Amino acid sequence: MEQQNYRVGIYCRISREDDDNVGESGSITIQRDIIQRYCEENGLAIGCIYQDDGYSGLNFERPDFQRMIDDIGKGKINCVITKDLSRLGRDYIMTGYYTEVFFPENKVRYIAIGDGYDTADKNSSSVDFAPFKFIMNDMYVKDLSKKQRASRNAKYLKGQFLAAYAPYGYKKDANDHNKLVVDEETAPIVQMIFEKY
């Protein structure tokens, strides 16, 4: 691999759908630590750190992702590193656009550490296999969404309470958060409102 001066943009992302599935190992802090260690071990200078916390990989209008794209245009960074391919994005068409079109046109090296993906290594089979990973990452989110909808529908059909907060006058049962019970403290106020009405 040709050695050149890279100004690295560290990119970290996590979303609500990832929270339950990647756990602490995928947190923003852990992602950043992994990438910083990789840069130290490989003599890469960090130019900027970009973090999108709570944004879906299907959405490419993430604030720090857009800031990173802007910084690439300004020549501030010429290498982007993520923990793995799914951190860049989960929409296979847009992720493919950035890795196959945008980054090469802007002479940006892209590295996904966990997937062994490095655009500077033209002999890597990981680069050839990446489009399949993009599709799998995209399908993962869509499958997860279907499962969550099915789970909510099943709870709905059982008559379980699904909202985050109980309406005034009620509280969630301490033993079953999908069940409402009368809140003895606020129920008299609700009853008084109805009586006065």
Side-chain angles (χ1 to χ4, degrees):
M1 259 179 273
E2 175 188 320
Q3 189 64 27
Q4 77 179 69
N5 292 331
Y6 288 107
R7 292 172 312 284
V8 173
I10 291 176
Y11 183 72
C12 306
R13 180 193 65 77
I14 194 159
S15 64
R16 284 187 294 282
E17 73 253 9
D18 294 323
D19 278 341
D20 297 333
N21 299 295
V22 297
E24 181 59 27
S25 66
S27 75
I28 293 283
T29 304
I30 299 298
Q31 289 177 51
R32 190 176 56 242
D33 290 349
I34 289 168
I35 299 167
Q36 286 174 324
R37 190 172 337 117
Y38 179 90
C39 289
E40 287 172 20
E41 291 169 359
N42 291 279
L44 296 167
I46 298 168
C48 200
I49 298 174
Y50 308 92
Q51 300 177 167
D52 283 314
D53 195 346
Y55 287 88
S56 170
L58 295 174
N59 170 14
F60 279 84
E61 296 303 317
R62 299 169 240 146
D64 256 21
F65 183 83
Q66 289 302 316
R67 186 170 66 91
M68 179 180 72
I69 296 302
D70 189 48
D71 284 353
I72 288 170
K74 292 175 181 173
K76 289 184 179 179
I77 60 170
N78 61 357
C79 180
V80 173
I81 303 179
T82 59
K83 177 180 166 272
D84 57 50
L85 291 166
S86 69
R87 299 305 90 207
L88 185 67
R90 289 194 181 273
D91 178 301
Y92 78 95
I93 292 173
M94 290 303 295
T95 306
Y97 163 74
Y98 283 105
T99 58
E100 301 293 322
V101 179
F102 183 83
F103 290 161
E105 283 180 355
N106 288 276
K107 297 176 178 46
V108 172
R109 178 182 181 186
Y110 174 58
I111 301 167
I113 299 167
D115 293 304
Y117 183 96
D118 184 348
T119 56
D121 183 1
K122 300 299 179 197
N123 298 321
S124 171
S125 61
S126 295
V127 173
D128 295 335
F129 187 67
F132 298 103
K133 290 280 288 190
F134 299 154
I135 291 170
M136 290 187 297
N137 288 334
D138 185 280
M139 289 177 69
Y140 166 80
V141 174
K142 290 175 181 168
D143 183 54
L144 184 62
S145 178
K146 285 179 190 173
K147 288 176 181 172
Q148 288 172 338
R149 254 192 324 274
S151 174
R152 277 194 306 275
N153 286 341
K155 287 179 179 182
Y156 174 76
L157 292 171
K158 286 182 178 178
Q160 294 179 337
F161 184 73
L162 302 177
Y165 301 101
Y168 193 73
Y170 292 91
K171 61 184 177 182
K172 289 189 175 190
D173 188 313
N175 299 320
D176 181 359
H177 290 284
N178 293 310
K179 181 180 176 188
L180 294 178
V181 294
V182 173
D183 182 346
E184 300 299 331
E185 200 173 304
T186 59
I189 297 168
V190 174
Q191 290 166 345
M192 181 187 68
I193 291 169
F194 273 93
E195 285 171 10
K196 290 193 179 257
Y197 178 77

